[in-house]
Amino acid sequence: MSIKLGSSELAKYPFLQEASDYIQETKFDFAEFDRPEMIHIINRAVEKLENELKGKIYSNLDEYEIEIMTFLVSLLLIKSIGLEEVSKKCSLFEAMRVERFLSTDLSVERSSQKKKLLVQKIFQDLFDINIDVDSTSSICKLSVPDYLLRASKMYEQEWKLINRSVKDGYVYLDTDEAVRLIRNELSNLIYTRVKNMKVYEVPILIKSKADELRKKYSGRYVYRNQFKILEYPPCIKHAMEIINKGENLPHSARFMLATYMLAIGKTEEEVIEIFKNSPDYNEKITRYQVEHLAGKKGSHIKYSVPSCDRLRSEDLCFAVKECENLINPIQFGRRKLT
Amino acid sequence: MNQIEYTNENIKFLKDIFRKYYFENKYFPYLYSIEKREFGYRKFDSLVVRHLSFKNIGELVVELVRNVPLDVYYSNAYYGFPSNPINEKQWEGADLIFDIDIKDLNIPCFHEHTYYICNLCGFVNSEQKLCVNCNKGKTYDISIPCKRCFTAIKKEAAKLLEFLRSDLGIEEKFIEVFFSGNAGFHFHVNDPGMRNLDSNSRSSVTDYIIGNGFMCESIGVRKYRNGFMIKLPKSGIMNGWRKKIASSFGINQKSELKLKHLVEASGGYDGFRNEINRITKKFGVHIDSQVTNDIHRVFRLPGSINGKSGLTKTKCDDLESFNPNNDACMLDDSEVYINLKTKLKINLKNNNFKLDNVLEKVPSYVAVYLVCKGLATISKNQ
């Protein structure tokens, strides 16, 4: 007996191929969105987007036909609004909504075949992750490389391999963790769907709602403020102390120091000056390297300051209490310029 | 850093020996997908040439015999266009490589056979400070690893192997262990499943092997208000590092109460964290994380001569029985006169050499070793 996804799954996971098939089978035409009876769905999609833009997960769940259409209208709205920040935020919150449903389904679903099917449709077919769910404990098992490639995008220490249950090349996760692992990919999937949508004519009702939302939300996401550094982080202080004592710094520490100084706005000349105390100082080499890091030589890529995580693993971290929850030394001791 | 004193006699002698070696050992059996690798080499004047590529081993050998480099490197990465500039190479994956070095192990005897050579006059000092001979030069250190050093590093290598096999599940056929030719071991993992790992993923692997960043929460101890609470993870505590820590404390999945008492006995959450750090230090392996995390690095080519010692980077099938000073010493034994900078004893090719005089007649492999280390020069009067 072959198991198929039911209507309740299609309602929760409207991005699956089966949901697209449903729309194709019904020969639905975009022009139908201008019919008065569709207003309910359009309003529902607007409500969902506004929730997401406020940072809330929209957890209402309706019949699958309504959910699939609401999802479709949401994508059309996001596309028509045309704001990058709106696309990103809504994609992320849509992913978090899915995460909530999927996590519950994987832990409470009694049919192990249904569980396997969900895992196959979402983890395997969409993201090419081979994952096994134990039918009794609901513990998920995936290969170390599959885990690492996803977990490396997470900043929290708990996602480091060392904090996981690892054996014989597999990582064992509970369902919440396994589903959380694909949040970024789900979000990217939705974001890419919106980006690649080709809409020649947006239905009038959707267009007018999109115009309203654009007006309301444009300008809200300009948040790149200027910062002033009040104190160097301990890793930088330590490196400076060594240089000032006239001792050699390892290459990785020089990289950290130079990228940090460039990132906080020091000129290349000022950065070169810092290294003058090194016993093996060579102006020509230092200048080339600093200019290289600043993106003015060689590959023309401006290098970022290594993350706290990276510095920890290179033994360059000398964390103090204020370093808690930071992911990059650049965040230490800075204050917003008003 | 190149430690060789740049005299005509030294350079000619080394180049002749190296050329002969590459001419006679032109196989490089552990070099896979040669056409996808970037090659580079260090010349005797210390200049580094990179972004080279070869279609086959024949082309590589011709280059080595013609230009006779001091050190030869190849990329762990596979590229679509290996000779292009770095951002145009088209990265297609990279072997996972681990490096263990004797100097990182803090072995007590290490200083007994470390020499401090002046960077200006080449004088061998007894300690690291301003050169006592010229009063100007700074010293750099070189070491001649002893038997105890190799025993210690082999132990470390065995720990690493265990992590790779048991925890990361890497099959034996994908792991190749090499003696670096000087004072370390390189582990090349060419498992296709690991090839696509980015630098951040590799950093997570190195932290795992070193034992960096284990959280008390992973074993069920969480901060709670001003104290702590116990909540064991659903995925269990009997695998990986969780198991290592749990076994050290004598606890298992059912020992919540015992764990609570243990945390209290260690002085609470912070005290328990210190206990954990002590355990991770004990079980972790001293690998160089930067080496593993870099996905564009060039590594010494297996089968090539290490310019720091004249020994060869050699495949090591059995760690226990491998003797670096014998198994990796592949050079000529025709005799040559050298001027020694210091008295010393060494064992190479299972022969003991006690060198007490300024002028000594030694086999070429000894001369190469000492000249490469900066402890001798080839005598003008042969």
Side-chain angles (χ1 to χ4, degrees):
Chain A
M1 186 184 73
S2 77
I3 291 261
K4 278 187 174 176
L5 289 182
S7 51
S8 70
E9 281 81 28
L10 290 188
K12 290 176 210 162
Y13 314 115
F15 49 84
L16 291 176
Q17 187 55 43
E18 282 78 352
S20 311
D21 294 346
Y22 164 78
I23 292 179
Q24 284 199 342
E25 276 166 25
T26 56
K27 298 199 167 43
F28 182 80
D29 189 322
F30 274 10
E32 291 180 52
F33 279 125
D34 284 334
R35 283 168 29 201
E37 61 266 34
M38 295 303 264
I39 286 188
H40 165 65
I41 287 179
I42 295 172
N43 285 341
R44 201 166 176 271
V46 170
E47 189 193 343
K48 186 172 154 192
L49 287 198
E50 293 223 80
N51 258 276
E52 291 171 347
L53 290 168
K54 282 177 198 154
K56 290 182 194 158
I57 298 171
Y58 185 75
S59 43
N60 293 359
L61 195 60
D62 213 316
E63 295 290 321
Y64 79 100
E65 295 93 335
I66 294 178
E67 283 301 337
I68 292 174
M69 296 312 269
T70 307
F71 180 69
L72 183 61
V73 177
S74 314
L75 298 189
L76 275 169
L77 278 169
I78 299 170
K79 180 84 182 174
S80 309
I81 293 168
L83 295 174
E84 184 70 5
E85 294 80 0
V86 168
S87 304
K88 283 196 172 151
K89 192 155 187 181
C90 291
S91 305
L92 175 65
F93 277 85
E94 183 65 35
M96 286 161 81
R97 173 180 149 91
V98 171
E99 191 181 321
R100 193 176 276 185
F101 294 138
L102 186 58
S103 184
T104 313
D105 279 353
L106 290 180
S107 48
V108 303
E109 174 62 58
R110 287 192 184 162
S111 154
S112 63
Q113 278 179 298
K114 196 68 158 288
K115 264 189 201 176
K116 283 207 165 90
L117 188 64
L118 262 181
V119 162
Q120 188 208 316
K121 291 283 172 195
I122 297 179
F123 287 88
Q124 213 159 311
D125 294 355
L126 289 177
F127 305 125
D128 203 19
I129 309 176
N130 284 313
I131 191 163
D132 268 346
V133 189
D134 186 276
S135 51
T136 46
S137 68
S138 288
I139 292 295
C140 304
K141 168 184 160 185
L142 73 162
S143 76
V144 167
D146 270 348
Y147 173 81
L148 285 172
L149 284 168
R150 275 115 198 141
S152 65
K153 311 281 185 299
M154 320 253 209
Y155 294 115
E156 296 88 352
Q157 186 78 1
E158 64 187 269
W159 291 99
K160 301 284 280 182
L161 192 63
I162 192 169
N163 288 308
R164 293 287 143 200
S165 175
V166 183
K167 193 185 175 193
D168 293 337
Y170 290 97
V171 178
Y172 295 82
L173 303 170
D174 65 38
T175 47
D176 288 352
E177 292 163 343
V179 175
R180 170 68 184 87
L181 198 63
I182 55 163
R183 182 192 287 173
N184 289 342
E185 271 160 300
L186 264 174
S187 167
N188 284 340
L189 175 90
I190 295 160
Y191 175 82
T192 314
R193 288 247 173 115
V194 172
K195 206 163 186 183
N196 295 341
M197 260 177 129
K198 286 194 175 75
V199 187
Y200 299 104
E201 204 172 338
V202 181
I204 296 166
L205 268 173
I206 295 178
K207 190 176 178 304
S208 71
K209 290 285 181 193
D211 290 344
E212 279 173 33
L213 289 169
R214 188 184 315 109
K215 219 172 181 180
K216 195 169 169 184
Y217 289 98
S218 58
R220 283 202 183 184
Y221 293 97
V222 184
Y223 52 82
R224 289 197 179 272
N225 291 299
Q226 295 292 313
F227 289 95
K228 180 179 163 190
I229 300 291
L230 301 175
E231 190 187 355
Y232 288 147
C235 46
I236 298 295
K237 276 189 198 163
H238 182 260
M240 296 281 282
E241 272 167 28
I242 292 185
I243 282 232
N244 291 336
K245 271 195 255 168
E247 290 172 20
N248 268 326
L249 267 184
H251 174 75
S252 49
R254 292 173 199 224
F255 179 87
M256 168 193 74
L257 188 56
T259 49
Y260 177 85
M261 291 300 171
L262 291 168
I264 62 167
K266 297 253 189 232
T267 63
E268 285 126 50
E269 287 306 323
E270 287 171 317
V271 179
I272 292 165
E273 192 65 33
I274 293 172
F275 288 99
K276 278 199 173 151
N277 243 352
S278 294
D280 58 352
Y281 175 75
N282 174 321
E283 191 184 339
K284 205 173 142 198
I285 295 174
T286 309
R287 181 173 297 282
Y288 178 84
Q289 288 179 336
V290 170
E291 288 176 354
H292 185 86
L293 296 178
K296 294 187 176 163
K297 285 269 163 73
S299 59
H300 292 275
I301 295 167
K302 188 174 175 186
Y303 285 79
S304 320
V305 187
S307 66
C308 294
D309 220 14
R310 176 60 65 89
L311 297 180
R312 264 192 295 271
S313 70
E314 289 176 352
D315 276 341
L316 299 174
C317 169
F318 298 88
V320 292
K321 201 166 166 271
E322 290 76 16
C323 293
E324 259 179 42
N325 299 324
L326 298 191
I327 57 172
N328 191 294
I330 200 77
Q331 297 167 294
F332 188 94
R334 68 180 182 182
R335 180 169 293 169
K336 208 185 275 184
L337 284 181
T338 48
Chain B
M1 186 179 169
N2 181 357
Q3 301 141 355
I4 300 162
E5 206 169 304
Y6 203 85
T7 66
N8 288 340
E9 291 77 18
N10 282 351
I11 303 305
K12 184 180 178 314
F13 168 74
L14 291 176
K15 277 195 168 182
D16 286 348
I17 296 253
F18 281 30
R19 180 180 290 114
K20 187 164 178 264
Y21 171 81
Y22 286 123
F23 188 74
E24 289 171 357
N25 295 274
K26 45 198 165 198
Y27 307 111
F28 300 105
Y30 307 110
L31 173 55
Y32 315 115
S33 308
I34 182 170
E35 72 288 353
K36 297 258 172 209
R37 310 277 191 174
E38 177 202 342
F39 285 81
Y41 56 78
R42 187 191 301 277
K43 297 190 199 172
F44 279 79
D45 58 6
S46 287
L47 281 177
V48 174
V49 181
R50 275 191 70 169
H51 309 300
L52 302 175
S53 75
F54 303 104
K55 287 196 191 80
N56 51 53
I57 288 180
E59 276 189 10
L60 168 69
V61 172
V62 167
E63 180 81 10
L64 298 182
V65 171
R66 190 165 52 201
N67 287 320
V68 199
L70 178 62
D71 296 291
V72 191
Y73 304 102
Y74 79 129
S75 63
N76 60 336
Y78 303 81
Y79 296 112
F81 305 97
S83 54
N84 280 4
I86 196 77
N87 46 345
E88 295 166 19
K89 284 189 191 294
Q90 216 177 75
W91 189 84
E92 294 176 357
D95 295 334
L96 192 59
I97 299 189
F98 300 91
D99 176 21
I100 308 180
D101 203 293
I102 286 173
K103 72 175 181 331
D104 297 327
L105 300 183
N106 298 323
I107 305 168
C109 63
F110 191 71
H111 294 285
E112 292 168 18
H113 41 68
T114 296
Y115 301 87
Y116 303 93
I117 303 176
C118 174
N119 65 349
L120 292 181
C121 69
F123 183 79
V124 178
N125 291 262
S126 58
E127 49 189 312
Q128 187 169 26
K129 55 180 188 184
L130 209 63
C131 174
V132 293
N133 184 46
C134 68
N135 274 324
K136 282 183 205 155
K138 287 174 182 155
T139 57
Y140 61 87
D141 55 303
I142 65 106
S143 186
I144 296 182
C146 68
K147 228 176 181 176
R148 278 173 294 177
C149 294
F150 284 123
T151 306
I153 199 170
K154 282 182 190 178
K155 264 190 191 163
E156 206 65 6
K159 267 160 75 182
L160 174 57
L161 263 182
E162 185 60 19
F163 269 108
L164 297 180
R165 289 177 188 146
S166 303
D167 291 38
L168 301 184
I170 297 168
E171 287 180 58
E172 203 79 40
K173 63 178 178 189
F174 294 128
I175 306 173
E176 284 175 331
V177 184
F178 295 96
F179 169 59
S180 73
N182 189 32
F185 283 93
H186 295 171
F187 285 65
H188 292 217
V189 175
N190 49 43
D191 181 346
M194 296 281 178
R195 231 173 249 174
N196 288 326
L197 295 183
D198 56 20
S199 184
N200 280 343
S201 304
R202 288 167 199 245
S203 155
S204 197
V205 171
T206 52
D207 280 342
Y208 188 90
I209 286 166
I210 294 168
N212 267 344
F214 187 89
M215 297 164 74
C216 302
E217 285 77 0
S218 302
I219 202 168
V221 180
R222 301 176 182 208
K223 259 189 182 168
Y224 182 66
R225 294 187 180 157
N226 288 330
F228 71 92
M229 61 177 276
I230 305 289
K231 191 175 181 217
L232 294 180
K234 285 184 203 162
S235 48
I237 58 169
M238 295 319 285
N239 287 330
W241 269 102
R242 294 179 184 184
K243 185 181 179 182
K244 288 180 182 55
I245 308 266
S247 307
S248 302
F249 287 122
I251 55 168
N252 59 37
Q253 196 70 28
K254 293 173 186 162
S255 320
E256 283 197 31
L257 195 63
K258 188 172 177 191
L259 181 57
K260 183 173 173 275
H261 293 322
L262 275 167
V263 181
E264 281 165 352
S266 348
Y269 182 91
D270 289 338
F272 188 67
R273 191 169 51 190
N274 294 340
E275 283 292 303
I276 284 183
N277 289 343
R278 190 182 50 75
I279 297 168
T280 51
K281 261 196 188 133
K282 181 178 159 197
F283 288 111
V285 185
H286 289 84
I287 53 168
D288 182 341
S289 59
Q290 289 172 50
V291 168
T292 309
N293 299 347
D294 196 340
I295 56 169
H296 292 290
R297 204 178 181 96
V298 285
F299 289 83
R300 191 172 296 288
L301 179 67
S304 70
I305 302 170
N306 189 323
K308 288 177 184 165
S309 66
L311 301 180
T312 304
K313 177 163 173 178
T314 307
K315 175 102 183 295
C316 172
D317 290 321
D318 177 36
L319 264 176
E320 194 72 33
S321 62
F322 187 77
N323 176 359
N325 285 355
N326 181 48
D327 301 342
C329 190
M330 313 255 184
L331 301 177
D332 220 285
D333 47 14
S334 56
E335 291 194 315
V336 61
Y337 281 102
I338 55 170
N339 294 319
L340 273 161
K341 295 183 185 177
T342 185
K343 289 180 185 178
L344 51 88
K345 287 183 211 164
I346 48 165
N347 178 297
L348 286 171
K349 281 198 183 177
N350 286 337
N351 295 314
N352 286 318
F353 296 91
K354 187 170 178 288
L355 306 171
D356 292 330
N357 305 312
V358 174
L359 185 68
E360 289 273 6
K361 192 178 186 186
V362 293
S364 289
Y365 59 85
V366 176
V368 171
Y369 187 87
L370 295 175
V371 172
C372 285
K373 290 271 177 196
L375 293 172
T377 56
I378 298 297
S379 172
K380 285 182 185 172
N381 306 311
Q382 291 296 327

